[in-house]
PDB file of all heavy atoms in Angstrom:
ATOM      1  N   GLN B 975      42.472 -86.785 -42.565  1.00  0.00           N
ATOM      2  CA  GLN B 975      41.521 -87.677 -43.222  1.00  0.00           C
ATOM      3  C   GLN B 975      40.129 -87.330 -42.736  1.00  0.00           C
ATOM      4  O   GLN B 975      39.922 -87.153 -41.533  1.00  0.00           O
ATOM      5  CB  GLN B 975      41.855 -89.133 -42.849  1.00  0.00           C
ATOM      6  CG  GLN B 975      40.894 -90.171 -43.384  1.00  0.00           C
ATOM      7  CD  GLN B 975      41.137 -91.529 -42.712  1.00  0.00           C
ATOM      8  OE1 GLN B 975      40.950 -91.692 -41.517  1.00  0.00           O
ATOM      9  NE2 GLN B 975      41.575 -92.511 -43.499  1.00  0.00           N
ATOM     10  N   LYS B 983      40.567 -85.998 -39.104  1.00  0.00           N
ATOM     11  CA  LYS B 983      41.457 -86.711 -38.185  1.00  0.00           C
ATOM     12  C   LYS B 983      42.904 -86.514 -38.645  1.00  0.00           C
ATOM     13  O   LYS B 983      43.207 -86.658 -39.825  1.00  0.00           O
ATOM     14  CB  LYS B 983      41.119 -88.210 -38.195  1.00  0.00           C
ATOM     15  CG  LYS B 983      42.090 -89.070 -37.399  1.00  0.00           C
ATOM     16  CD  LYS B 983      41.805 -90.559 -37.621  1.00  0.00           C
ATOM     17  CE  LYS B 983      42.848 -91.432 -36.939  1.00  0.00           C
ATOM     18  NZ  LYS B 983      42.628 -92.872 -37.215  1.00  0.00           N
ATOM     19  N   LEU B 984      43.756 -86.166 -37.704  1.00  0.00           N
ATOM     20  CA  LEU B 984      45.176 -85.971 -38.019  1.00  0.00           C
ATOM     21  C   LEU B 984      45.832 -87.291 -38.405  1.00  0.00           C
ATOM     22  O   LEU B 984      45.758 -88.263 -37.652  1.00  0.00           O
ATOM     23  CB  LEU B 984      45.890 -85.370 -36.804  1.00  0.00           C
ATOM     24  CG  LEU B 984      47.393 -85.154 -36.919  1.00  0.00           C
ATOM     25  CD1 LEU B 984      47.708 -84.042 -37.937  1.00  0.00           C
ATOM     26  CD2 LEU B 984      47.985 -84.796 -35.548  1.00  0.00           C
ATOM     27  N   MET B 985      46.504 -87.307 -39.568  1.00  0.00           N
ATOM     28  CA  MET B 985      47.167 -88.512 -40.043  1.00  0.00           C
ATOM     29  C   MET B 985      48.690 -88.362 -40.077  1.00  0.00           C
ATOM     30  O   MET B 985      49.421 -89.319 -39.834  1.00  0.00           O
ATOM     31  CB  MET B 985      46.671 -88.869 -41.441  1.00  0.00           C
ATOM     32  CG  MET B 985      45.172 -89.042 -41.551  1.00  0.00           C
ATOM     33  SD  MET B 985      44.538 -90.319 -40.446  1.00  0.00           S
ATOM     34  CE  MET B 985      45.052 -91.792 -41.318  1.00  0.00           C
ATOM     35  N   ILE B 986      49.170 -87.166 -40.405  1.00  0.00           N
ATOM     36  CA  ILE B 986      50.601 -86.884 -40.499  1.00  0.00           C
ATOM     37  C   ILE B 986      50.833 -85.468 -39.985  1.00  0.00           C
ATOM     38  O   ILE B 986      50.052 -84.563 -40.289  1.00  0.00           O
ATOM     39  CB  ILE B 986      51.114 -86.976 -41.954  1.00  0.00           C
ATOM     40  CG1 ILE B 986      51.008 -88.403 -42.494  1.00  0.00           C
ATOM     41  CG2 ILE B 986      52.557 -86.455 -42.070  1.00  0.00           C
ATOM     42  CD1 ILE B 986      52.019 -89.380 -41.900  1.00  0.00           C
ATOM     43  N   TYR B 987      51.896 -85.249 -39.199  1.00  0.00           N
ATOM     44  CA  TYR B 987      52.250 -83.907 -38.777  1.00  0.00           C
ATOM     45  C   TYR B 987      53.731 -83.658 -39.004  1.00  0.00           C
ATOM     46  O   TYR B 987      54.519 -84.619 -39.117  1.00  0.00           O
ATOM     47  CB  TYR B 987      51.860 -83.659 -37.318  1.00  0.00           C
ATOM     48  CG  TYR B 987      52.648 -84.481 -36.305  1.00  0.00           C
ATOM     49  CD1 TYR B 987      53.765 -83.958 -35.672  1.00  0.00           C
ATOM     50  CD2 TYR B 987      52.226 -85.768 -35.974  1.00  0.00           C
ATOM     51  CE1 TYR B 987      54.470 -84.695 -34.746  1.00  0.00           C
ATOM     52  CE2 TYR B 987      52.929 -86.527 -35.029  1.00  0.00           C
ATOM     53  CZ  TYR B 987      54.051 -85.977 -34.425  1.00  0.00           C
ATOM     54  OH  TYR B 987      54.744 -86.711 -33.502  1.00  0.00           O
ATOM     55  N   ASN B 991      55.691 -87.171 -39.720  1.00  0.00           N
ATOM     56  CA  ASN B 991      55.482 -87.874 -38.450  1.00  0.00           C
ATOM     57  C   ASN B 991      54.054 -88.390 -38.321  1.00  0.00           C
ATOM     58  O   ASN B 991      53.099 -87.701 -38.667  1.00  0.00           O
ATOM     59  CB  ASN B 991      55.797 -86.939 -37.278  1.00  0.00           C
ATOM     60  CG  ASN B 991      57.264 -86.578 -37.231  1.00  0.00           C
ATOM     61  OD1 ASN B 991      58.118 -87.428 -37.021  1.00  0.00           O
ATOM     62  ND2 ASN B 991      57.570 -85.316 -37.455  1.00  0.00           N
ATOM     63  N   ARG B 992      53.927 -89.601 -37.818  1.00  0.00           N
ATOM     64  CA  ARG B 992      52.621 -90.229 -37.609  1.00  0.00           C
ATOM     65  C   ARG B 992      52.223 -90.162 -36.155  1.00  0.00           C
ATOM     66  O   ARG B 992      53.007 -90.563 -35.281  1.00  0.00           O
ATOM     67  CB  ARG B 992      52.643 -91.704 -38.023  1.00  0.00           C
ATOM     68  CG  ARG B 992      52.174 -92.026 -39.395  1.00  0.00           C
ATOM     69  CD  ARG B 992      52.046 -93.546 -39.587  1.00  0.00           C
ATOM     70  NE  ARG B 992      53.078 -94.295 -38.929  1.00  0.00           N
ATOM     71  CZ  ARG B 992      54.267 -94.546 -39.453  1.00  0.00           C
ATOM     72  NH1 ARG B 992      54.546 -94.080 -40.655  1.00  0.00           N
ATOM     73  NH2 ARG B 992      55.170 -95.251 -38.798  1.00  0.00           N
ATOM     74  N   PRO B 993      50.990 -89.680 -35.864  1.00  0.00           N
ATOM     75  CA  PRO B 993      50.531 -89.719 -34.465  1.00  0.00           C
ATOM     76  C   PRO B 993      50.350 -91.162 -34.019  1.00  0.00           C
ATOM     77  O   PRO B 993      50.171 -92.070 -34.841  1.00  0.00           O
ATOM     78  CB  PRO B 993      49.174 -89.003 -34.520  1.00  0.00           C
ATOM     79  CG  PRO B 993      49.160 -88.267 -35.813  1.00  0.00           C
ATOM     80  CD  PRO B 993      50.026 -89.053 -36.739  1.00  0.00           C
ATOM     81  N   SER B 994      50.373 -91.347 -32.711  1.00  0.00           N
ATOM     82  CA  SER B 994      50.126 -92.673 -32.168  1.00  0.00           C
ATOM     83  C   SER B 994      48.757 -93.168 -32.627  1.00  0.00           C
ATOM     84  O   SER B 994      47.775 -92.433 -32.595  1.00  0.00           O
ATOM     85  CB  SER B 994      50.167 -92.600 -30.635  1.00  0.00           C
ATOM     86  OG  SER B 994      49.806 -93.817 -30.060  1.00  0.00           O
ATOM     87  N   GLY B 995      48.705 -94.419 -33.073  1.00  0.00           N
ATOM     88  CA  GLY B 995      47.438 -95.007 -33.484  1.00  0.00           C
ATOM     89  C   GLY B 995      47.164 -94.954 -34.975  1.00  0.00           C
ATOM     90  O   GLY B 995      46.248 -95.615 -35.457  1.00  0.00           O
ATOM     91  N   VAL B 996      47.927 -94.149 -35.695  1.00  0.00           N
ATOM     92  CA  VAL B 996      47.750 -94.069 -37.160  1.00  0.00           C
ATOM     93  C   VAL B 996      48.597 -95.158 -37.819  1.00  0.00           C
ATOM     94  O   VAL B 996      49.778 -95.333 -37.491  1.00  0.00           O
ATOM     95  CB  VAL B 996      48.146 -92.682 -37.687  1.00  0.00           C
ATOM     96  CG1 VAL B 996      48.159 -92.670 -39.216  1.00  0.00           C
ATOM     97  CG2 VAL B 996      47.174 -91.626 -37.167  1.00  0.00           C
ATOM     98  N   SER B 997      47.993 -95.868 -38.741  1.00  0.00           N
ATOM     99  CA  SER B 997      48.664 -96.981 -39.410  1.00  0.00           C
ATOM    100  C   SER B 997      49.951 -96.538 -40.105  1.00  0.00           C
ATOM    101  O   SER B 997      50.027 -95.443 -40.682  1.00  0.00           O
ATOM    102  CB  SER B 997      47.721 -97.600 -40.436  1.00  0.00           C
ATOM    103  OG  SER B 997      48.393 -98.546 -41.241  1.00  0.00           O
ATOM    104  N   ASN B 998      50.956 -97.407 -40.070  1.00  0.00           N
ATOM    105  CA  ASN B 998      52.220 -97.099 -40.747  1.00  0.00           C
ATOM    106  C   ASN B 998      52.089 -97.233 -42.262  1.00  0.00           C
ATOM    107  O   ASN B 998      53.069 -97.075 -42.998  1.00  0.00           O
ATOM    108  CB  ASN B 998      53.363 -97.960 -40.215  1.00  0.00           C
ATOM    109  CG  ASN B 998      53.106 -99.443 -40.389  1.00  0.00           C
ATOM    110  OD1 ASN B 998      52.152 -99.859 -41.051  1.00  0.00           O
ATOM    111  ND2 ASN B 998      53.948-100.262 -39.785  1.00  0.00           N
ATOM    112  N   ARG B 999      50.894 -97.515 -42.751  1.00  0.00           N
ATOM    113  CA  ARG B 999      50.653 -97.496 -44.198  1.00  0.00           C
ATOM    114  C   ARG B 999      50.601 -96.051 -44.713  1.00  0.00           C
ATOM    115  O   ARG B 999      50.662 -95.828 -45.919  1.00  0.00           O
ATOM    116  CB  ARG B 999      49.339 -98.207 -44.526  1.00  0.00           C
ATOM    117  CG  ARG B 999      49.328 -99.680 -44.162  1.00  0.00           C
ATOM    118  CD  ARG B 999      48.047-100.368 -44.620  1.00  0.00           C
ATOM    119  NE  ARG B 999      46.835 -99.836 -44.014  1.00  0.00           N
ATOM    120  CZ  ARG B 999      45.991 -99.025 -44.631  1.00  0.00           C
ATOM    121  NH1 ARG B 999      46.214 -98.654 -45.894  1.00  0.00           N
ATOM    122  NH2 ARG B 999      44.916 -98.601 -43.986  1.00  0.00           N
ATOM    123  N   PHE B1000      50.474 -95.114 -43.795  1.00  0.00           N
ATOM    124  CA  PHE B1000      50.427 -93.693 -44.161  1.00  0.00           C
ATOM    125  C   PHE B1000      51.814 -93.077 -43.928  1.00  0.00           C
ATOM    126  O   PHE B1000      52.388 -93.234 -42.852  1.00  0.00           O
ATOM    127  CB  PHE B1000      49.391 -92.949 -43.317  1.00  0.00           C
ATOM    128  CG  PHE B1000      47.980 -93.340 -43.633  1.00  0.00           C
ATOM    129  CD1 PHE B1000      47.405 -94.450 -43.042  1.00  0.00           C
ATOM    130  CD2 PHE B1000      47.216 -92.598 -44.531  1.00  0.00           C
ATOM    131  CE1 PHE B1000      46.105 -94.829 -43.340  1.00  0.00           C
ATOM    132  CE2 PHE B1000      45.921 -92.955 -44.838  1.00  0.00           C
ATOM    133  CZ  PHE B1000      45.355 -94.074 -44.239  1.00  0.00           C
ATOM    134  N   GLU B1019      38.741 -98.997 -46.033  1.00  0.00           N
ATOM    135  CA  GLU B1019      38.527 -97.982 -44.987  1.00  0.00           C
ATOM    136  C   GLU B1019      39.296 -96.688 -45.250  1.00  0.00           C
ATOM    137  O   GLU B1019      39.064 -95.682 -44.582  1.00  0.00           O
ATOM    138  CB  GLU B1019      38.947 -98.554 -43.635  1.00  0.00           C
ATOM    139  CG  GLU B1019      40.444 -98.805 -43.501  1.00  0.00           C
ATOM    140  CD  GLU B1019      40.773 -99.866 -42.483  1.00  0.00           C
ATOM    141  OE1 GLU B1019      40.147-100.939 -42.521  1.00  0.00           O
ATOM    142  OE2 GLU B1019      41.674 -99.614 -41.648  1.00  0.00           O
TER     143      GLU B1019
END
Side-chain angles (χ1 to χ4, degrees):
Chain B
Q975 176 192 65
K983 173 188 175 183
L984 177 68
M985 304 302 284
I986 295 288
Y987 67 96
N991 294 295
R992 265 189 322 275
S994 174
V996 172
S997 171
N998 59 9
R999 297 185 298 103
F1000 291 85
E1019 67 205 48

